[in-house]
Amino acid sequence: MSTTFQLDTATSRANPTPAPMKRLTVPAIQRRKTKGQTQEPLVMLTAYTARQAQLLDPHCDILLVGDSLGQVIYGLPSTLPVTLDMMIAHGAAVVRGSYHSVVIVDMPFGAYEASPQQAFAAASRVMAETGCAGVKLEGGQAMAETIAFLTQRGIPVMAHVGLTPQAVNALGGYGARGRSQEEHAKIIADGQAVAEAGAFAMVVEGVIESIAVTLTQSVEIPVIGIGASAQCDGQVLVTEDMLGMFERVPRFVKRYADIAGMISETAAKYAEEVRARTFPGSEQVYQPK
């Protein structure tokens, strides 16, 4: 029987715990869209650590190890400084902490754009060192050749069109894309190109809703929206945004909780008890037998 690695929550240490392999597969994700329609939308969230993956895994179809970790985990100003080593380290942690979801790892800026050969060298390393199911890369028509090159060599690819954060300098910011007819047509063409190239799914981000709807209806692969439309085949959010870990979030994010406030309040209570010498109490210290 196949096994996977999970966290032993009794000790908070990573131990090889045998468990039936119930992980979804890339073909299973593709089959969720039949004859151009998806009856049950795909659920996708970002994850960067083993424990986070363990908590999200039962509720998701796909866990994305996003290069958004640059901002969320490392406090970087954008995704551009994220390295391949960073993505591999976090990708491996998420795979170890999950057993159900398809785990996809973002290809960082500079690791795949130069040539299909460069992309294959980086992507094959990601696959081998993390155990993930596939990689995600940004770009439309310009990346179609690379997507075909990777998929023909056994590397599943999730594409990403519309607002592509790695191209923030060229785009001039993070505003919604597709307001002009020219840009509208370009995003649709990008989506169709990556689908024809062999991507098993695509993320469409930060676009005018009509674009997301048209694109979803015009390709056979699942289209996962973020700042797009509820009519997409699925949705993705940065988990920390969804949990309310940051004060400022994009317009398209719904904050389902105020975890930042809870952490702050809990830390304040802890500090109060430490200063009052009420923690640790008798329950938290060792006494002679």
Side-chain angles (χ1 to χ4, degrees), residues 67-78:
D67 58 0
S68 49
L69 62 82
Q71 294 142 305
V72 171
I73 301 295
Y74 292 97
L76 296 169
S78 72

Side-chain angles (χ1 to χ4, degrees), residues 208-233:
I208 303 304
E209 185 176 23
S210 59
I211 295 176
V213 174
T214 298
L215 192 55
T216 301
Q217 295 173 346
S218 67
V219 297
E220 294 299 316
I221 64 174
V223 175
I224 299 171
I226 176 168
S229 173
Q231 294 187 51
C232 290
D233 301 301

Side-chain angles (χ1 to χ4, degrees), residues 27-173:
I29 296 298
Q30 287 182 293
R31 288 195 296 270
R32 291 282 287 273
K33 187 171 185 176
T34 58
K35 298 181 179 179
Q37 293 188 335
T38 300
Q39 297 302 319
E40 183 179 0
L42 293 161
V43 178
M44 180 169 160
L45 284 169
T46 61
Y48 315 114
T49 67
R51 182 56 177 155
Q52 186 181 41
Q54 191 179 40
L55 295 171
L56 299 176
D57 187 55
H59 311 289
C60 294
D61 303 299
I62 305 169
L63 290 177
L64 173 66
V65 187
D67 58 0
S68 49
L69 62 82
Q71 294 142 305
V72 171
I73 301 295
Y74 292 97
L76 296 169
S78 72
T79 62
L80 300 186
V82 173
T83 67
L84 193 62
D85 285 341
M86 291 162 67
M87 296 308 306
I88 288 172
H90 288 274
V94 170
V95 171
R96 286 194 297 269
S98 62
Y99 72 91
H100 167 72
S101 302
V102 168
V103 178
I104 302 298
V105 177
D106 261 343
M107 296 282 282
F109 177 73
Y112 62 94
E113 296 91 339
S115 68
Q117 291 76 16
Q118 181 209 29
F120 180 78
S124 59
R125 187 182 161 205
V126 170
M127 298 283 289
E129 296 183 33
T130 68
C132 71
V135 299
K136 182 171 77 65
L137 54 81
E138 295 183 8
Q141 292 169 300
M143 284 294 111
E145 180 185 358
T146 294
I147 292 170
F149 191 88
L150 295 181
T151 57
Q152 290 165 10
R153 287 157 179 79
I155 298 179
V157 177
M158 176 180 286
H160 186 148
V161 301
L163 172 60
T164 48
Q166 291 177 6
V168 61
N169 291 323
L171 295 174

Side-chain angles (χ1 to χ4, degrees), residues 261-280:
M262 185 181 299
I263 291 173
S264 181
E265 291 172 9
T266 304
K269 180 64 174 176
Y270 166 73
E272 177 186 339
E273 293 189 3
V274 169
R275 292 175 180 131
R277 296 189 185 277
T278 58
F279 174 84

